[in-house]
């Protein structure tokens, strides 16, 4: 046993988009001989989270779980259940102090999700333990969060500046199209905004800000953030991505996919928390049919999986399934996305651009057809396009309420026509270099471990 090996506690919050990168980081640090405690807030919001946690602990006997029972919390207004969980965890976090003060061996650091960073930072300071944040979105979206208070103060919408189409960001950061910024960002009373404002104060107090991205992919943004000119005393930005999947991420068993030609299938998923309207789902079905393209579609009917009860045929219609049975497969429920993206039959990914999905596609060199919906997704879609990983058809996949099947078909054909339009395989090569031995992200992770060795 390495006596100097650090003991690191990781504390994710709610939603698979926040949980997955924490599990991947925990697994990776454990393979590098760190002692790992994973704090899990109970109860979880979705079944996907509790199932994933069970699988993770079953396959990582060396990682300790610390179940953290939350105090009851009833939000006064109707809010997103995942946001409610962020607040509930923050409200309960003081109860963590006694659980962590006695832990053995003593903690070397806590890595927390951004959404609870301020409260965790307070506890960690009391325990004399350094805090790190793991950011689960792009460095580009992080730069917006870092400048949140300045941007809200100078809110161009408040000033009535009609016609403004992009806003200036501080010191060397590229201007941001106003339409890419989610409207709740500018509303100081909205939970989206209060979660950012109450936690961004910790950016100057923590020892480092890990981001699931890699130098090559977002080099300019990372460089500017680390130049010290954006926010005073901003902790160092530490790109550690793309985080790799761990061995027990449920194997896929899809004989249909195994029988499809190489790079012929479009994979479709809008992530774990985004459900398109029923009308839009049907138009997407029409688009797939018109395109004639093979597809594997993970269908999601409601925001939280435990409420997702409707059968596939009730959403898309029996006749659609019958007509497309030789071309495509529609699945409801959890599948291992990372393994699907790694399958040789997959040639493109129609994605909402949740950041984990983007990093998985980057690591596996799969071109993305971006159809962002809300939150950070439009900013992420722009990063995808700038890096050459894919296409964001703004005019089509955005401006209108309902995108019709004809338009969707055209974009699907465009992305599936071939990699020569994009440089997805080059991106994959750069991503593999970054997390391979001696690569930029590998060096950052090794540097953090060395710093934490006693
Ligand atoms: Br759905 C689904 N299987 O069936 P994102 C998702 N995932 O492995 P989101 C599966 O969950 P936020 C499924 O590979 C990714 O690691 C997927 O995270 C995995 O989007 C993660 O892509 C989903 O960031 O989260 O769920 O919308 O809103 O937090 O970005």
């Amino acid at each position: 046993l390495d006596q100097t090996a650090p003991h690191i506690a990781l504390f994710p919050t709610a939603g698979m988009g926040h949980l997955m990168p924490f599990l991947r980081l925990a697994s990776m640090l454990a393979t590098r001989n760190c002692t790992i405690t994973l704090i899990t807030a109970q109860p979880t919001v979705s079944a996907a989270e509790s199932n994933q946690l069970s699988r993770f602990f079953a396959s990582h006997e060396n990682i300790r779980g610390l179940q953290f029972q939350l105090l009851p919390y009833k939000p006064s207004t109707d809010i997103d259940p995942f946001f409610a969980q962020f607040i509930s965890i923050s409200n309960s976090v003081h109860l963590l102090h006694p659980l962590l003060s006695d832990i053995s061996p003593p903690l070397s650091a806590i890595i927390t999700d951004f959404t609870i960073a301020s409260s965790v930072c307070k506890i960690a300071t009391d325990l004399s333990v350094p805090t790190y944040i793991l950011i689960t979105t792009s460095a580009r979206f992080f730069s917006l969060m870092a400048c949140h208070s300045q941007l809200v103060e100078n809110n161009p919408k408040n000033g009535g500046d009609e016609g403004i189409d992009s806003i200036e960001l501080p010191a060397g950061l590229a201007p941001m199209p106003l339409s890419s910024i989610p409207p709740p960002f500018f509303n100081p009373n909205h939970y989206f905004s209060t979660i950012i404002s109450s936690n961004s104060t910790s950016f100057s107090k923590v020892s480092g800000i890990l981001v699931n991205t890699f130098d090559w992919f977002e080099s300019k943004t990372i460089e500017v953030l680390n130049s010290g000119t954006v926010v005073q005393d901003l902790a160092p930005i530490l790109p550690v991505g793309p985080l790799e999947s761990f061995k027990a991420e449920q194997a896929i068993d899809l004989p249909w996919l195994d029988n499809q030609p190489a790079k012929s299938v479009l994979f479709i998923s809008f992530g774990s928390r985004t459900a398109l309207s029923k009308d839009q789902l049907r138009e997407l079905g029409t688009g797939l049919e018109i395109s004639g393209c093979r597809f594997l579609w993970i269908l999601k009917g409601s925001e939280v999986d435990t409420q997702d009860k409707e059968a596939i045929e009730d959403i898309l219609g029996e006749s659609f399934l019958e007509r497309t049975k030789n071309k495509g497969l529609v699945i409801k429920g959890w599948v291992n996305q990372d393994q699907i993206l790694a399958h040789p039959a997959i040639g493109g990914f129609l994605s909402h651009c949740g950041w984990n999905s983007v990093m998985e596609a980057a690591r596996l060199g799969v071109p993305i057809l971006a159809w962002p919906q809300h939150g950070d997704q439009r900013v992420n879609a722009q990063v995808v396009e700038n890096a050459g990983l894919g296409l964001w058809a703004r005019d089509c996949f955005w401006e209108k309420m309902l995108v019709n099947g004809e338009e969707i078909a055209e974009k699907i054909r465009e992305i599936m026509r071939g990699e020569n339009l994009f440089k997805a395989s080059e991106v994959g090569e750069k991503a593999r270099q970054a997390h391979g031995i001696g690569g930029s992200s590998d060096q950052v992770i090794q540097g953090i471990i060395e710093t934490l060795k006693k």
Side-chain angles (χ1 to χ4, degrees), residues 1-9 29-37 64 104-109 446 448-454:
L1 194 74
D2 179 0
Q3 296 297 332
T4 62
H7 179 186
I8 304 172
L29 291 171
T31 59
R32 296 181 185 217
N33 291 330
C34 298
T35 302
I36 299 296
T37 296
R64 303 183 210 177
S104 171
L107 282 183
S108 319
Q446 213 42 49
I448 297 167
I449 296 174
E450 293 304 322
T451 308
L452 295 177
K453 279 187 176 173
K454 290 170 233 109

Coordinates of all heavy atoms in Angstrom, one line a residue, residues 1-9 29-37 64 104-109 446 448-454:
L1 N 0.8 -1.2 0.0 CA 0.0 0.0 0.0 C 0.9 1.3 0.0 O 1.8 1.4 0.8 CB -0.9 0.0 1.3 CG -2.1 0.9 1.3 CD1 -3.2 0.5 0.3 CD2 -2.6 1.1 2.7
D2 N 0.6 2.2 -0.9 CA 1.3 3.4 -1.0 C 0.8 4.4 0.1 O -0.3 4.9 0.0 CB 1.1 4.0 -2.4 CG 1.8 5.4 -2.6 OD1 2.5 5.8 -1.6 OD2 1.7 5.9 -3.7
Q3 N 1.7 4.6 1.1 CA 1.3 5.4 2.3 C 1.0 6.8 1.9 O 0.3 7.5 2.6 CB 2.4 5.3 3.4 CG 2.6 3.9 3.9 CD 1.4 3.4 4.7 OE1 0.6 4.1 5.2 NE2 1.2 2.1 4.7
T4 N 1.6 7.3 0.8 CA 1.4 8.7 0.4 C 0.2 8.9 -0.5 O -0.1 10.0 -0.8 CB 2.6 9.2 -0.3 OG1 2.8 8.5 -1.5 CG2 3.9 9.1 0.5
A5 N -0.5 7.8 -0.8 CA -1.6 7.9 -1.8 C -2.7 8.8 -1.2 O -3.1 8.6 -0.1 CB -2.1 6.5 -2.1
P6 N -3.2 9.8 -2.0 CA -4.2 10.7 -1.4 C -5.5 10.0 -1.3 O -5.8 9.0 -2.0 CB -4.3 11.8 -2.5 CG -3.5 11.4 -3.6 CD -2.7 10.2 -3.3
H7 N -6.3 10.4 -0.3 CA -7.7 10.0 -0.1 C -8.6 11.1 -0.6 O -8.6 12.2 0.0 CB -7.9 9.7 1.4 CG -9.3 9.2 1.7 ND1 -9.8 9.0 2.9 CD2 -10.4 8.9 0.8 CE1 -11.1 8.6 2.9 NE2 -11.4 8.6 1.6
I8 N -9.3 10.8 -1.6 CA -10.1 11.9 -2.3 C -11.6 11.5 -2.2 O -12.0 10.4 -2.5 CB -9.7 12.1 -3.8 CG1 -8.2 12.4 -3.9 CG2 -10.6 13.2 -4.4 CD1 -7.7 12.4 -5.3
A9 N -12.4 12.5 -1.7 CA -13.9 12.3 -1.7 C -14.4 13.0 -2.9 O -14.1 14.2 -3.1 CB -14.5 12.8 -0.4
L29 N -9.1 7.7 -10.9 CA -8.2 8.0 -9.8 C -8.0 6.8 -9.0 O -6.9 6.6 -8.4 CB -8.9 9.1 -8.9 CG -9.0 10.5 -9.5 CD1 -9.8 11.4 -8.6 CD2 -7.6 11.1 -9.7
A30 N -9.0 5.9 -8.9 CA -8.7 4.6 -8.1 C -7.7 3.8 -8.8 O -6.9 3.1 -8.2 CB -10.1 3.9 -7.9
T31 N -7.7 3.7 -10.1 CA -6.7 2.9 -10.8 C -5.3 3.6 -10.7 O -4.3 2.9 -10.9 CB -7.0 2.7 -12.3 OG1 -7.1 4.0 -12.9 CG2 -8.3 2.0 -12.6
R32 N -5.3 4.8 -10.3 CA -4.0 5.4 -10.1 C -3.6 5.4 -8.6 O -2.9 6.3 -8.1 CB -4.0 6.9 -10.6 CG -4.1 6.9 -12.2 CD -4.1 8.3 -12.7 NE -4.3 8.3 -14.1 CZ -3.8 9.1 -15.0 NH1 -2.9 9.9 -14.6 NH2 -4.1 9.0 -16.3
N33 N -4.2 4.5 -7.9 CA -3.8 4.2 -6.5 C -4.3 5.2 -5.5 O -3.9 5.2 -4.3 CB -2.3 4.1 -6.3 CG -1.8 2.8 -7.0 OD1 -2.6 1.8 -7.1 ND2 -0.6 2.8 -7.5
C34 N -5.3 6.1 -5.9 CA -5.8 7.0 -4.8 C -6.9 6.2 -4.1 O -7.5 5.3 -4.6 CB -6.5 8.2 -5.5 SG -5.4 9.2 -6.4
T35 N -7.1 6.5 -2.8 CA -8.2 6.0 -2.0 C -9.4 6.9 -2.3 O -9.3 8.1 -2.3 CB -7.9 6.0 -0.5 OG1 -6.7 5.3 -0.3 CG2 -9.0 5.5 0.3
I36 N -10.5 6.3 -2.7 CA -11.7 7.1 -3.1 C -12.9 6.8 -2.3 O -13.3 5.6 -2.0 CB -12.0 6.7 -4.6 CG1 -10.8 7.1 -5.5 CG2 -13.2 7.5 -5.1 CD1 -10.4 8.5 -5.6
T37 N -13.5 7.9 -1.8 CA -14.9 7.8 -1.2 C -15.8 8.6 -2.1 O -15.6 9.7 -2.5 CB -14.8 8.5 0.2 OG1 -14.0 7.7 1.0 CG2 -16.2 8.5 0.8
R64 N -15.2 3.3 -1.8 CA -16.2 3.3 -0.7 C -17.3 4.2 -1.1 O -17.1 5.3 -1.6 CB -15.6 3.9 0.5 CG -14.3 3.2 1.0 CD -13.9 3.9 2.3 NE -12.5 3.8 2.4 CZ -11.9 4.4 3.5 NH1 -12.6 5.1 4.4 NH2 -10.6 4.3 3.6
S104 N -11.3 7.7 7.8 CA -9.9 7.3 7.9 C -9.5 6.5 6.6 O -10.4 5.7 6.2 CB -9.7 6.3 9.1 OG -8.5 5.7 9.0
P105 N -8.4 6.7 6.0 CA -7.4 7.7 6.4 C -8.0 9.1 6.1 O -9.0 9.3 5.4 CB -6.2 7.5 5.4 CG -6.8 6.7 4.2 CD -8.0 6.0 4.8
P106 N -7.4 10.2 6.8 CA -8.0 11.5 6.6 C -8.0 12.0 5.2 O -7.2 11.5 4.4 CB -7.0 12.4 7.4 CG -6.2 11.5 8.2 CD -6.2 10.1 7.6
L107 N -9.0 12.8 4.9 CA -9.1 13.3 3.5 C -8.0 14.2 3.0 O -7.5 15.0 3.8 CB -10.4 14.1 3.3 CG -11.7 13.3 3.3 CD1 -12.9 14.3 3.0 CD2 -11.7 12.2 2.2
S108 N -7.6 14.0 1.8 CA -6.6 14.9 1.2 C -7.3 16.0 0.4 O -6.7 17.1 0.2 CB -5.7 14.1 0.2 OG -5.4 12.9 0.7
A109 N -8.5 15.7 -0.2 CA -9.2 16.7 -1.0 C -10.7 16.3 -1.2 O -11.0 15.1 -1.1 CB -8.6 16.9 -2.3
Q446 N -2.1 13.6 -13.3 CA -1.0 13.2 -12.5 C -0.5 14.3 -11.6 O -0.1 14.1 -10.5 CB 0.1 12.7 -13.5 CG 1.0 11.6 -13.0 CD 0.2 10.5 -12.2 OE1 -0.8 10.0 -12.7 NE2 0.7 10.1 -11.0
I448 N -2.3 16.7 -10.3 CA -3.2 16.9 -9.1 C -2.8 15.8 -8.1 O -2.7 16.1 -6.9 CB -4.6 16.7 -9.6 CG1 -5.0 17.9 -10.6 CG2 -5.6 16.8 -8.4 CD1 -6.3 17.7 -11.3
I449 N -2.6 14.6 -8.5 CA -2.3 13.5 -7.6 C -1.0 13.8 -6.8 O -0.9 13.7 -5.6 CB -2.3 12.1 -8.3 CG1 -3.6 11.8 -8.9 CG2 -1.8 11.0 -7.4 CD1 -3.7 10.6 -9.7
E450 N 0.0 14.3 -7.6 CA 1.3 14.6 -6.9 C 1.1 15.7 -5.9 O 1.7 15.6 -4.8 CB 2.3 15.0 -8.0 CG 2.8 13.9 -8.9 CD 3.3 12.7 -8.3 OE1 4.0 12.8 -7.2 OE2 3.0 11.6 -8.7
T451 N 0.3 16.7 -6.2 CA 0.1 17.8 -5.3 C -0.6 17.3 -4.0 O -0.3 17.8 -2.9 CB -0.9 18.8 -6.0 OG1 -0.3 19.2 -7.2 CG2 -1.0 20.1 -5.1
L452 N -1.4 16.3 -4.2 CA -2.2 15.9 -3.0 C -1.5 14.8 -2.2 O -1.9 14.5 -1.1 CB -3.6 15.3 -3.4 CG -4.5 16.3 -4.1 CD1 -5.8 15.7 -4.5 CD2 -4.8 17.5 -3.1
K453 N -0.4 14.3 -2.7 CA 0.4 13.3 -1.9 C 1.0 14.0 -0.7 O 1.5 15.1 -0.8 CB 1.5 12.7 -2.7 CG 1.0 11.6 -3.6 CD 2.2 10.9 -4.3 CE 1.7 9.8 -5.2 NZ 2.8 9.2 -6.0
K454 N 0.8 13.3 0.5 CA 1.3 14.0 1.7 C 2.8 13.9 1.8 O 3.4 13.1 1.3 CB 0.6 13.4 2.9 CG -0.9 13.7 2.9 CD -1.6 12.9 4.0 CE -2.7 12.1 3.4 NZ -2.9 10.8 3.1

